[in-house]
Amino acid sequence: MTAGKRLAVLGAGAVGGAVVDLAAAYGHTVVAFADSASAVVDAGGIDADAAVDRKAAEGHVGDDDPEDVLHADYDVLVEATPTTLGDAEPGFSHLRTALERDRHVVLANKGPVAERYADVRELEHDSEGEVRFEAAVGGAIPIVSTVEDLGPSRVTAARGVLNGTANFILSRMAAEGIDYEHVLAEAQDLGVAEADPTFDVEGTDAALKCVILANVLAAGDREFTLSDADVEGITNVPGSALELAAEDGRTVRLVGEATREGIRVGPRLVPGNAALAVTGTRNIVQLETDYAGQLNLSGRGAGGEPTASAVLGDVGRLG
Amino acid sequence: MTSTLGSDADREGSRAAEEGTGHDGAPQPHTIRLELADEPGELLAALEPISENGGNLLSIFHERGNVTPRGRIPVEVDIEATPDRFETIVAALRDAGVNVVQAGAEQYAEELVVVLVGDIVDSDLSDTLQRVEACPSASVADVSVNAPAGRGESASARLRLATRAGGGTEALTTVRELAAEKELHVIEPLAGGGV
């Protein structure tokens, strides 16, 4: 039984909010919580409901300075700020501050491990703290820990459907015979797609997840970043292509493939009854292993509570 | 079954192989499909590696008038040979520069389906198909086009390619190169055994 840990949560979006909400159910205490402009810090444990309600009602979580969170007395920093492209800031600096204080870091933010993997590992090496990032790839699905259990060298490839928005759009296009623009508008109305869906539909999000997987598979022998990925999105997939695929018992999915050699993301033809032909916002990852054959891990790849469950699972794995 | 080759009577005897009773080393009938340039002497030159390597000619079907997309004449040759000799014959044909389209069960061992997306019509679909056909490891088995908006608009074409065992990668490379040149997008099948 792991003793309850004191958590500092950075980021008050769906994931950060759900971590704060669910922490007590996992036996942990949230001692600090911040969005980009405000914070609440209480060494005895913050009032989670009050902070989440206040965020919803007033747009900020409390009256403290976000900087105070980084210096609060916590065991684990949960980094759930938005993923940014380029230098992975401010997530990377948050991680560095925590590791330099010999604290653990659990990332929901993909940036640091997708864009500065070697830097992260170096900081971790020099710290008493550990870095975990299960939630950064495939939300609730235990992909990273499964690869760790198998041993990265015994996993030859990981491929999967890792972006719910793109998958929702493709599966709706195929099922309803409607065009991309129409489905995108519907997805935005439903809250499945962002107002600016570029990150999802151009394949960038799926590619970042594959970059992380490739880094895990390579186990430090080589560092991958987004520039190593060959990426094509779904914006060029017309309804006519889905119809032709369907006539042949196939469908089209945005599939990411990661190996120790490289990363490819693009629309691929898959048999309609294949494991990879998940529908809607479901994600799936297939691992090709040396001794265990093919493993399929499927589940909810996004959303506040599912992703928070992966974050809290990581917290539980920490020593 | 007799192991003697040559006479018509013996040949009938060894036809037992066709009924699934063939053993390793026993002569069996095989069909080889060739494509020959429409020039004098081409057929004779193509038959020499067969007889020189112990193959027994059963029939030759020379499809004059039925020109392939590459402007060549398809020829179907039935021969009888042991499995070892058959492999030697096919290798000898290829060494002699004869275009072997199909050799026994080897050809069409694998299937590759791709969907091309883009301005399919104005990028000259027949040229695209001819150039895929020209790839030595692939043959276009089936084409289906879906162009709801007509010329000049985005459309899709599904190509079913029959590829030689292990030839899928080469065929896919050809398709990718063609697509890049013609500004088409390729929706590829999954690589590496994913389902």
Side-chain angles (χ1 to χ4, degrees):
Chain A
M1 187 81 189
T2 315
K5 293 205 162 47
R6 291 167 298 166
L7 312 184
V9 181
L10 283 177
V15 176
V19 170
V20 169
D21 222 17
L22 297 179
Y26 282 74
H28 306 300
T29 308
V30 178
V31 295
F33 179 36
D35 60 23
S36 57
S38 70
V40 50
V41 180
D42 186 335
I46 67 165
D47 182 337
D49 290 344
V52 172
D53 289 349
R54 191 163 171 189
K55 175 68 181 172
E58 300 172 24
H60 50 92
V61 297
D63 298 321
D64 296 327
D65 186 334
E67 278 293 307
D68 296 344
V69 171
L70 284 170
H71 304 288
D73 194 12
Y74 58 83
D75 303 309
V76 183
L77 182 75
V78 174
E79 221 302 339
T81 64
T83 298
T84 54
L85 293 179
D87 57 6
E89 293 292 5
F92 184 81
S93 289
H94 296 158
L95 169 137
R96 175 172 24 217
T97 303
L99 288 176
E100 283 174 354
R101 294 183 63 202
D102 291 326
R103 301 297 200 271
H104 300 302
V105 179
V106 172
L107 298 166
N109 179 351
K110 293 179 280 292
V113 272
E115 302 180 87
R116 303 180 69 174
Y117 193 78
D119 291 341
V120 168
R121 287 306 194 194
E122 192 182 334
L123 286 168
E124 185 188 34
H125 183 262
D126 295 337
S127 170
E128 298 287 311
E130 204 180 314
V131 179
R132 301 200 60 89
F133 46 89
E134 184 68 82
V137 186
I141 312 171
I143 303 164
V144 176
S145 52
T146 302
V147 172
E148 284 175 352
D149 284 351
L150 292 161
S153 66
R154 291 186 281 273
V155 178
T156 51
R159 75 177 75 81
V161 173
L162 284 163
N163 183 273
T165 302
N167 204 53
F168 176 88
I169 291 172
L170 287 174
S171 35
R172 288 287 293 165
M173 284 173 72
E176 307 295 327
I178 40 186
D179 263 329
Y180 171 78
E181 299 296 342
H182 187 121
V183 180
L184 175 61
E186 180 193 73
Q188 285 168 328
D189 288 346
L190 287 171
V192 173
E194 306 277 342
D196 178 4
T198 314
F199 196 60
D200 296 308
V201 299
E202 299 285 358
T204 313
D205 174 69
L208 287 172
K209 291 165 180 169
C210 288
V211 167
I212 296 171
L213 286 174
N215 277 321
V216 171
L217 295 182
D221 289 341
R222 176 180 166 185
E223 183 189 15
F224 291 93
T225 65
L226 196 54
S227 60
D228 298 305
D230 173 7
V231 186
E232 190 176 342
I234 62 162
T235 53
N236 294 313
V237 179
S240 59
L242 286 156
E243 282 175 21
L244 282 178
E247 280 173 19
D248 199 38
R250 290 163 211 258
T251 189
V252 178
R253 288 291 176 266
L254 182 66
V255 177
E257 299 164 80
T259 67
R260 277 179 278 282
E261 282 73 49
I263 298 142
R264 269 167 32 111
V265 175
R268 303 276 180 260
L269 280 172
V270 297
N273 59 1
L276 280 175
V278 287
T279 53
T281 54
R282 234 177 144 68
N283 282 18
I284 181 168
V285 170
Q286 285 185 335
L287 301 176
E288 294 292 341
T289 73
D290 282 344
Y291 308 118
Q294 190 177 75
L295 295 181
N296 289 329
L297 305 169
S298 173
R300 298 180 67 177
E305 290 198 349
T307 307
S309 80
V311 167
L312 290 161
D314 269 350
V315 172
R317 285 184 197 95
L318 291 165
Chain B
M1 184 191 303
T2 173
S3 61
T4 314
L5 290 175
S7 78
D8 285 343
D10 289 338
R11 194 176 298 145
E12 285 306 310
S14 63
R15 281 285 173 128
E18 271 189 329
E19 294 158 20
T21 57
H23 301 287
D24 285 349
Q28 294 174 23
H30 300 271
T31 299
I32 304 178
R33 285 186 66 83
L34 310 172
E35 280 185 11
L36 303 177
D38 192 11
E39 289 167 11
E42 283 290 309
L43 181 59
L44 188 60
L47 297 180
E48 272 175 3
I50 297 174
S51 54
E52 282 171 5
N53 289 285
N56 191 11
L57 272 171
L58 301 177
S59 73
I60 301 167
F61 182 47
H62 196 200
E63 301 175 49
R64 292 190 68 89
N66 183 10
V67 180
T68 70
R70 277 166 282 193
R72 288 167 171 259
I73 310 290
V75 178
E76 194 170 287
V77 182
D78 286 337
I79 67 163
E80 190 176 63
T82 63
D84 281 358
R85 282 186 175 167
F86 179 66
E87 283 181 22
T88 312
I89 288 165
V90 174
L93 282 167
R94 290 195 171 127
D95 286 348
V98 177
N99 189 4
V100 181
V101 178
Q102 178 182 346
E106 179 223 9
Q107 176 68 342
Y108 306 150
E110 290 171 13
E111 183 184 86
L112 184 72
V113 179
V114 296
V115 173
L116 295 175
V117 173
D119 193 352
I120 298 294
V121 180
D122 282 347
S123 64
D124 194 348
L125 181 60
S126 57
D127 171 70
T128 304
L129 297 178
Q130 279 180 28
R131 286 168 62 186
V132 173
E133 275 284 342
C135 169
S137 61
S139 171
V140 178
D142 172 59
V143 181
S144 191
V145 178
N146 188 346
R151 290 185 73 129
E153 295 293 330
S154 186
S156 305
R158 184 185 67 229
L159 273 53
R160 183 190 307 281
L161 308 178
T163 66
R164 219 165 253 136
T169 306
E170 187 185 355
L172 200 50
T173 304
T174 303
V175 172
R176 282 182 197 147
E177 287 169 0
L178 265 170
E181 182 190 319
K182 298 188 172 206
E183 297 183 359
L184 302 174
H185 296 277
V186 189
I187 302 180
E188 296 181 13
L190 278 173
V195 284

